[in-house]
Amino acid sequence: MAALKLPNSPRLIHIRQRLVPFTASTMLFPKPPSLPLSNYSFAVLPAFLSRSLALFSSGILVCSNSSLRGARGNQSRSKSASIQPVTEELKEDQSKDSLVSGDSIRQRFLDFYASRGHKILPSASLVPDDPTVLLTIAGMLPFKPIFLGKIPRQVPRATTAQRCIRTNDVENVGRTARHHTFFEMLGNFSFGDYFKKEAIRWSWELSTIEFGLPPERLWISVYEDDDEAFEIWHNEVGVPVERIKRMGEDDNFWMSGATGPCGPCSEIYYDFHPERGHADVDLGDDTRFIEFYNLVFMQYNKKDDGKLEPLKQKNIDTGLGLERMARILQKVPNNYETDLIYPIIEKASELANISYALADEQTKLKLKVVGDHLRAIAYLISDGVLPSNIGRGYVVRRLIRRVVRAGRSLGIKGEVRNNLEEAFLPIIAEKVIELSTHIDSDVKIKAPRILEELKKEELHFVQTLERGETLLEKMLANALSNAQKSGTVPCLSGKEAFLLYDTFGFPVELTTEIAEEHGVTVDMNGFDFEMENQRRLSRAAHNVVKLAVEDGANLTENINETEFVGYDTLSAQAVVESVMVNGSPVTQVSEGNDVEVLLNRTPFYAESGGQIGDHGFLYVTRGENKQTAVVEIKDVQKSLGDIFVHKGTIREGVLEVGREVEAAVDVKLRQRAKVHHTATHLLQAALKKLISQEISQSGSLVAFDRLRFDFNYGYALTDSQLEEIEQLINGWIEAATFLETKVMPLKDAKEAGAIAMFGEKYGEQVRVVEVPGVSMELCGGTHVSNTSEIRVFKIISEQGIASGVRRIEAVAGEAFIEYINGRESQMKNLCSMLKVKAEEVATRVEKLLEELRMSRNEIANLRTKAAVYKALMIANKAFEVGTSQKIRVLVESVDDADADSLKAAAEHLIDTLQDPAAVILGSCPDEGKVSLVAAFSPAVVNMGIQAGKFIGPIAKLCGGGGGGRPNFAQAGGRMPENLPSALEKAREDIVSILSEKAR
């Protein structure tokens, strides 16, 4: 297909691939010489094009507000989408203009700002460095430290296409035209360089000239008090006053939090229906407008008292939603029908044997959920986030399960192999991966891992989904029935919701959605209570990027970055630049105080890349090497960029700012760290070679006494695999290979095959550590010069720490000797205690365990006999209930009988009392523990009374729960003090029920 034209504009003429201003207004900001559109891909999938043209031939257009404030933290300001007739003008435009691909829009945005001096930077990971947020939720998040002044800017201006994830309003996905979990935010940023005038003029030029949007269709919003922005838009850009709206703080003043950087916003809206005029215009009207570009003028710092003070460095932070601009330029009803998402929906439709164009709204909603969520899932897994029940992993698991349910309700199924149904998510995800080329090239590289995780998670969920859905249907039916009888609002209990979560893997949000479809609410307070009891707290994502101007920002103005010389030497002369006690700067510190010391240069390695900080000493000397102070360093951390903070204690004398010190690293401990760090590289290489090339690091610890390596893999390693890994690594150690360390451009390092370490951020120049023929990694840590220095490597444990994540702990070098000596000491103690030789320990322990098992069985039998004896003693306390039929009832406490003994006693009593009979017993076997049992004879069960349902409410009185069969049930609790009243309640209830049944 030939290159497709942009929408017509009176200001443009097309000359091959160049856009040349024709009769541009003199009020527009002058555009630099036009650049060739470098390899823009205007081609659109044939199916997508034919679908879109067919859609518009029917003369409809779905309009929706797509407020970029929504894309920046408040996606709720909208009205419901509706279908509106296309104007004759738009029909004419559609007949003349072709669609523009999402990939093209992204590249043209970046090239536009690159031609204006902006550095194009790659998208940051969806897993941010920022501890205040769970996921990367905004385009500005990677630049937060620069905006705070914590680290110096590397460039004065930048532009990015940032991948973002938001799940705070996931229930709106597919229901509106603009809500997504995964989206791309195109942004241009100024770090104390240009400000409002340039940002406004360039945004207008990009919109009207580069993208060819008709100026008369663009509306502007500004903050109500921002006269400067209003004047620029009107007087310099030329936007008529009637199309500039002043809006209040809620809409047009951006704040990072209660305090910190803030400033007014200005937004650009596209008008789908200019024929409606200028009277009583509401820019939040989804049926008419879509906001696509948001400009934040970060010019104030909000203090604790609420006052605004001007920032020393004014910044620009903008965001243009790629999916929203694609919707405008491709002239489709919503973001989902752009070429960024629709091919995924089309694949899902194909598997479901459904025509999207002919589908009803509910079916389209489910297809949109599949298309949206699978994008988020694929990119999250690619960035190392695997399904689990906490934090980021819970986000992935929740999204996967929403897609599985949506897909199954559409009738989508995987292939059947060996009479087993395969997963369908990997089939659709292949389309996501196919579309990822220009978004994140790593997705295709990691495709096998993504598809395997999807398959594993889907099949695991499906195993319990059907049973869970059946149970939920019964729960909902009971809730509706009970509400109808009592005249109350139908509600699912928190305990029921937790059962679905804990046993059947239903995220509570999914339970809530299904319940709402049936008109039933969920007791979330009760659910939270159950979660607390089980200690399975789920971490919620923070959906606001919190910035705060801290004292540290002032510190960076006075302290330069620390020069690290520790690769070449372990001792160096340095000058004390700052001393802090409890975080506050001081001029001197005396003996006995804990202190933080900043030096102009240091041989101490600061903790990073999993390697802990060096230990050592700072020595202050005066004349003829006379020692006047000693500081013991126990930790070194990086702060505010590359400032090294040496944490320690003054052991002798007084330390003063400005003094020269000798900084000396503990040589033995540094060697241990070097040994373990290089061994970690060898371990990763061995895992990739022997287990799977798809294995990747998901965390590490390089300490003096051990190393820890976390990696993505779904299965436990066998003993033979671990032995093979040890043998391979020890072979590499024995080979005595010299390591090679180089500094090179990041691009060259990746092309050479260097592996990046988990969680690390890299600049344009990187350090590459290579064990020739074995391993090559990007790493700033310290390493041995030759593998023989490691001496020996031993794995001490391998275990799972999360779904799909394994952990290996190992020792090497001197730590291995300590480990072996410790084990030998323990063995000697065992031999002494058991009075056997080392080779006889296992046999002796087995014999002792067998004796212990026999003793425990004997004790259990004695307890059961004792409980039965006690039961015989209390059998005469049984009483009769009923008139037409006499039912023997016994409700008693059996002191400290354990659960098994209580069970035996109840069974014996039900036989002794004979049918019909009901026995309810309770006991307090241990401190803080309650046991309950209910046993009903067949005649009692035939009356419709079930032991399982009866005992549950009684157990709740003791702070517990339980259940069982109709004839026998057990329960427990944790409030022994409530047992007497609980048994009294049980007595009243059973008498009342049986009296009614046996009248």
Side-chain angles (χ1 to χ4, degrees):
M1 183 183 292
L4 299 174
K5 296 188 296 181
L6 292 172
N8 289 338
S9 168
R11 293 186 172 85
L12 292 181
I13 57 173
H14 289 264
I15 303 178
R16 296 184 182 178
Q17 286 191 321
R18 293 175 63 88
L19 289 176
V20 183
F22 184 50
T23 56
S25 168
T26 56
M27 300 181 76
L28 289 173
F29 187 70
K31 182 178 180 181
S34 299
L35 299 177
L37 301 181
S38 57
N39 297 320
Y40 292 141
S41 172
F42 291 100
V44 182
L45 295 172
F48 174 76
L49 179 59
S50 61
R51 174 192 60 80
S52 300
L53 294 177
L55 174 65
F56 284 107
S57 66
S58 64
I60 62 170
L61 176 66
V62 179
C63 301
S64 166
N65 179 10
S66 189
S67 168
L68 270 193
R69 172 156 295 89
R72 303 184 67 82
N74 179 11
Q75 296 192 3
S76 62
R77 193 188 77 185
S78 67
K79 299 178 181 177
S80 60
S82 64
I83 298 177
Q84 299 294 327
V86 174
T87 63
E88 290 301 317
E89 179 184 354
L90 279 178
K91 285 184 178 179
E92 182 179 354
D93 286 346
Q94 291 157 9
S95 67
K96 293 180 179 179
D97 300 325
S98 300
L99 304 178
V100 180
S101 74
D103 287 339
S104 167
I105 296 169
R106 181 191 307 107
Q107 190 59 50
R108 290 169 65 193
F109 180 95
L110 296 174
D111 287 348
F112 177 89
Y113 281 104
S115 70
R116 287 152 180 80
H118 292 66
K119 174 75 172 178
I120 299 178
L121 298 177
S123 171
S125 169
L126 290 171
V127 180
D129 252 350
D130 191 334
T132 68
V133 288
L134 202 63
L135 296 165
T136 299
I137 58 173
M140 58 75 65
L141 189 62
F143 303 113
K144 174 179 172 180
I146 300 175
F147 288 140
L148 284 176
K150 286 188 171 183
I151 63 174
R153 68 182 190 184
Q154 300 299 314
V155 293
R157 53 181 78 170
T159 183
T160 64
Q162 176 62 47
R163 293 174 284 116
C164 300
I165 291 281
R166 290 226 187 108
T167 59
N168 55 311
D169 47 11
V170 67
E171 68 280 355
N172 286 327
V173 169
R175 299 183 187 277
T176 72
R178 63 181 174 84
H179 279 89
H180 299 292
T181 54
F182 176 88
F183 59 94
E184 288 186 80
M185 187 61 72
L186 310 180
N188 55 289
F189 306 90
S190 167
F191 311 113
D193 187 18
Y194 64 84
F195 199 50
K196 286 185 188 179
K197 184 176 294 187
E198 293 85 351
I200 289 173
R201 289 174 167 177
W202 285 338
S203 67
W204 183 260
E205 185 179 350
L206 175 78
S207 302
T208 60
I209 296 182
E210 181 63 38
F211 289 137
L213 300 182
E216 63 275 10
R217 284 180 176 262
L218 302 185
W219 287 66
I220 307 299
S221 71
V222 297
Y223 179 52
E224 55 191 358
D225 294 335
D226 193 355
D227 295 333
E228 180 185 5
F230 189 99
E231 293 299 319
I232 295 171
W233 280 116
H234 177 56
N235 294 330
E236 299 192 33
V237 175
V239 179
V241 171
E242 61 268 22
R243 292 213 312 275
I244 305 176
K245 288 286 184 179
R246 291 183 184 266
M247 301 177 76
E249 185 173 309
D250 290 343
D251 295 313
N252 277 66
F253 194 89
W254 181 82
M255 292 184 291
S256 61
T259 61
C262 57
C265 303
S266 186
E267 299 152 329
I268 309 179
Y269 293 78
Y270 184 82
D271 185 357
F272 288 103
H273 294 284
E275 75 280 359
R276 295 184 186 177
H278 301 99
D280 300 323
V281 167
D282 176 10
L283 293 179
D285 181 358
D286 273 3
T287 68
R288 177 173 179 178
F289 297 102
I290 176 174
E291 179 199 343
F292 63 88
Y293 209 166
N294 188 1
L295 316 177
V296 176
F297 310 125
M298 204 179 296
Q299 64 190 83
Y300 300 115
N301 173 41
K302 188 173 184 180
K303 303 178 71 175
D304 291 335
D305 59 6
K307 293 181 180 179
L308 299 178
E309 63 178 9
L311 284 172
K312 296 178 182 178
Q313 175 180 291
K314 292 180 172 61
N315 304 303
I316 290 292
D317 159 27
T318 79
L320 183 148
L322 175 60
E323 292 79 6
R324 303 171 186 199
M325 180 58 79
R327 175 193 168 193
I328 296 171
L329 295 181
Q330 294 175 12
K331 297 182 172 62
V332 291
N334 53 67
N335 297 359
Y336 298 94
E337 297 184 41
T338 65
D339 67 336
L340 295 165
I341 305 175
Y342 186 75
I344 308 167
I345 293 176
E346 192 174 42
K347 183 65 179 179
S349 300
E350 176 188 324
L351 293 178
N353 197 25
I354 292 171
S355 167
Y356 177 85
L358 301 177
D360 58 37
E361 289 306 312
Q362 192 62 27
T363 299
K364 286 184 177 180
L365 168 63
K366 293 174 182 177
L367 287 168
K368 290 172 183 176
V369 166
V370 173
D372 171 89
H373 286 11
L374 268 177
R375 289 212 308 165
I377 295 163
Y379 288 99
L380 280 168
I381 294 176
S382 176
D383 278 353
V385 183
L386 300 181
S388 71
N389 281 340
I390 60 172
R392 302 180 183 100
Y394 181 67
V395 172
V396 177
R397 174 159 287 168
R398 177 187 175 193
L399 293 177
I400 288 176
R401 294 183 173 184
R402 279 175 58 87
V403 176
V404 170
R405 181 172 179 263
R408 287 171 65 85
S409 68
L410 290 168
I412 300 177
K413 294 183 178 180
E415 296 179 6
V416 177
R417 297 178 183 174
N418 299 323
N419 295 322
L420 294 175
E421 183 182 322
E422 290 289 316
F424 68 83
L425 293 186
I427 301 173
I428 306 175
E430 287 178 353
K431 179 60 67 175
V432 179
I433 294 167
E434 178 186 323
L435 296 171
S436 70
T437 301
H438 301 290
I439 303 173
D440 181 6
S441 58
D442 283 349
V443 172
K444 286 191 175 179
I445 297 172
K446 298 175 182 177
R449 174 179 163 198
I450 295 170
L451 299 178
E452 178 62 27
E453 285 296 331
L454 284 171
K455 176 182 177 181
K456 183 173 64 176
E457 184 70 11
E458 179 183 347
L459 294 180
H460 176 71
F461 181 46
V462 168
Q463 289 175 1
T464 56
L465 177 61
E466 291 181 355
R467 284 187 294 141
E469 286 180 328
T470 301
L471 177 60
L472 178 55
E473 287 179 7
K474 291 180 180 178
M475 290 177 175
L476 295 174
N478 288 337
L480 290 167
S481 175
N482 293 336
Q484 188 174 13
K485 292 177 182 177
S486 61
T488 58
V489 177
C491 180
L492 204 66
S493 73
K495 186 170 184 178
E496 290 172 316
F498 182 75
L499 173 66
L500 290 166
Y501 167 83
D502 189 40
T503 305
F504 298 97
F506 272 54
V508 68
E509 297 85 358
L510 180 58
T511 300
T512 301
E513 288 180 24
I514 299 173
E516 287 178 350
E517 292 171 4
H518 292 76
V520 178
T521 62
V522 176
D523 176 12
M524 289 306 300
N525 289 333
F527 176 82
D528 292 338
F529 176 78
E530 296 295 333
M531 286 285 283
E532 180 66 28
N533 288 343
Q534 294 293 326
R535 296 181 181 177
R536 293 176 183 174
L537 296 174
S538 177
R539 299 173 191 154
H542 299 281
N543 290 292
V544 175
V545 181
K546 295 184 178 179
L547 302 181
V549 176
E550 302 165 357
D551 291 340
N554 296 326
L555 186 62
T556 59
E557 296 179 5
N558 304 315
I559 303 297
N560 295 319
E561 291 185 353
T562 309
E563 178 189 358
F564 177 61
V565 297
Y567 292 135
D568 305 315
T569 180
L570 296 183
S571 178
Q573 296 297 313
V575 175
V576 177
E577 300 223 328
S578 179
V579 177
M580 292 177 288
V581 176
N582 296 324
S584 299
V586 296
T587 57
Q588 65 177 27
V589 188
S590 58
E591 183 177 322
N593 286 292
D594 292 333
V595 66
E596 295 177 336
V597 184
L598 308 185
L599 305 175
N600 65 330
R601 60 200 301 265
T602 184
F604 284 83
Y605 182 83
E607 181 176 327
S608 63
Q611 180 177 332
I612 66 174
D614 280 329
H615 291 191
F617 291 89
L618 303 180
Y619 300 103
V620 182
T621 57
R622 236 181 238 173
E624 297 183 358
N625 296 325
K626 185 179 180 181
Q627 188 171 291
T628 61
V630 177
V631 184
E632 183 180 8
I633 301 300
K634 286 294 186 181
D635 187 23
V636 184
Q637 297 286 332
K638 283 186 181 180
S639 179
L640 308 175
D642 281 329
I643 296 176
F644 287 39
V645 181
H646 305 72
K647 300 183 178 184
T649 304
I650 310 291
R651 296 301 180 193
E652 296 179 21
V654 176
L655 180 68
E656 298 176 336
V657 173
R659 287 292 181 187
E660 186 173 289
V661 299
E662 180 189 355
V665 173
D666 187 313
V667 177
K668 290 184 178 180
L669 293 182
R670 166 65 79 85
Q671 181 64 18
R672 285 177 172 233
K674 289 163 61 176
V675 163
H676 280 145
H677 206 148
T678 304
T680 302
H681 285 211
L682 297 182
L683 174 57
Q684 178 163 220
L687 287 167
K688 284 180 172 289
K689 183 179 180 67
L690 297 177
I691 307 302
S692 171
Q693 281 294 325
E694 297 305 316
I695 281 177
S696 63
Q697 179 180 336
S698 62
S700 71
L701 171 68
V702 176
F704 304 134
D705 61 339
R706 72 192 189 284
L707 68 87
R708 186 178 71 212
F709 185 76
D710 300 341
F711 58 98
N712 298 309
Y713 192 62
Y715 309 96
L717 301 186
T718 64
D719 290 340
S720 61
Q721 285 175 320
L722 294 174
E723 289 176 8
E724 192 175 0
I725 290 168
E726 283 183 350
Q727 290 174 4
L728 179 59
I729 293 174
N730 283 312
W732 286 335
I733 292 170
E734 188 178 358
T737 304
F738 282 97
L739 276 69
E740 297 179 3
T741 303
K742 304 173 185 175
V743 175
M744 62 178 70
L746 177 60
K747 181 180 179 183
D748 293 350
K750 287 187 174 181
E751 290 176 354
I755 299 172
M757 301 293 281
F758 175 82
E760 284 295 285
K761 307 298 180 184
Y762 300 101
E764 293 186 4
Q765 295 291 314
V766 294
R767 185 170 181 262
V768 178
V769 176
E770 181 179 9
V771 182
V774 177
S775 164
M776 181 188 292
E777 297 192 19
L778 306 183
C779 183
T782 62
H783 290 270
V784 299
S785 58
N786 188 291
T787 57
S788 62
E789 295 178 41
I790 300 174
R791 298 160 65 186
V792 66
F793 174 89
K794 175 67 179 175
I795 294 173
I796 58 177
S797 71
E798 190 276 342
Q799 61 183 328
I801 59 170
S803 176
V805 181
R806 310 295 301 178
R807 169 174 290 175
I808 286 178
E809 292 197 359
V811 290
E814 196 66 29
F816 169 79
I817 304 300
E818 285 185 356
Y819 173 76
I820 293 299
N821 288 340
R823 295 285 289 259
E824 185 177 358
S825 177
Q826 291 172 358
M827 179 58 75
K828 286 180 179 179
N829 289 336
L830 276 175
C831 292
S832 175
M833 291 168 59
L834 300 175
K835 301 189 184 308
V836 296
K837 296 178 181 178
E839 57 269 23
E840 298 171 347
V841 167
T843 303
R844 178 62 176 148
V845 169
E846 286 180 1
K847 186 176 180 180
L848 288 173
L849 288 174
E850 180 60 28
E851 292 174 359
L852 180 61
R853 279 192 292 269
M854 292 175 64
S855 298
R856 284 177 174 172
N857 289 337
E858 187 176 345
I859 291 171
N861 289 333
L862 289 173
R863 284 179 175 172
T864 300
K865 289 178 180 179
V868 171
Y869 177 75
K870 290 179 181 178
L872 292 173
M873 298 294 291
I874 63 173
N876 60 356
K877 295 185 178 181
F879 56 91
E880 293 184 343
V881 175
T883 53
S884 63
Q885 186 178 17
K886 297 297 182 182
I887 305 167
R888 284 162 290 282
V889 176
L890 181 63
V891 182
E892 288 294 332
S893 173
V894 191
D895 300 332
D896 58 352
D898 62 18
D900 289 337
S901 299
L902 204 64
K903 176 177 180 289
E907 290 172 343
H908 184 81
L909 282 167
I910 208 73
D911 290 337
T912 301
L913 296 177
Q914 299 183 346
D915 198 14
V919 174
I920 299 152
L921 303 178
S923 68
C924 301
D926 293 303
E927 185 177 351
K929 189 173 183 180
V930 174
S931 289
L932 291 164
V933 65
F936 296 164
S937 68
V940 172
V941 174
N942 290 336
M943 292 179 183
I945 309 171
Q946 296 187 13
K949 290 185 177 180
F950 180 86
I951 203 67
I954 304 303
K956 281 186 177 181
L957 299 176
C958 296
R965 304 187 305 274
N967 66 318
F968 191 88
Q970 287 181 282
R974 59 182 185 280
M975 299 165 63
E977 65 274 14
N978 290 354
L979 180 60
S981 59
L983 289 176
E984 184 60 34
K985 174 65 173 173
R987 188 190 309 274
E988 293 174 2
D989 288 353
I990 196 66
V991 168
S992 174
I993 295 170
L994 291 175
S995 297
E996 178 68 24
K997 298 286 186 181
R999 279 193 297 186

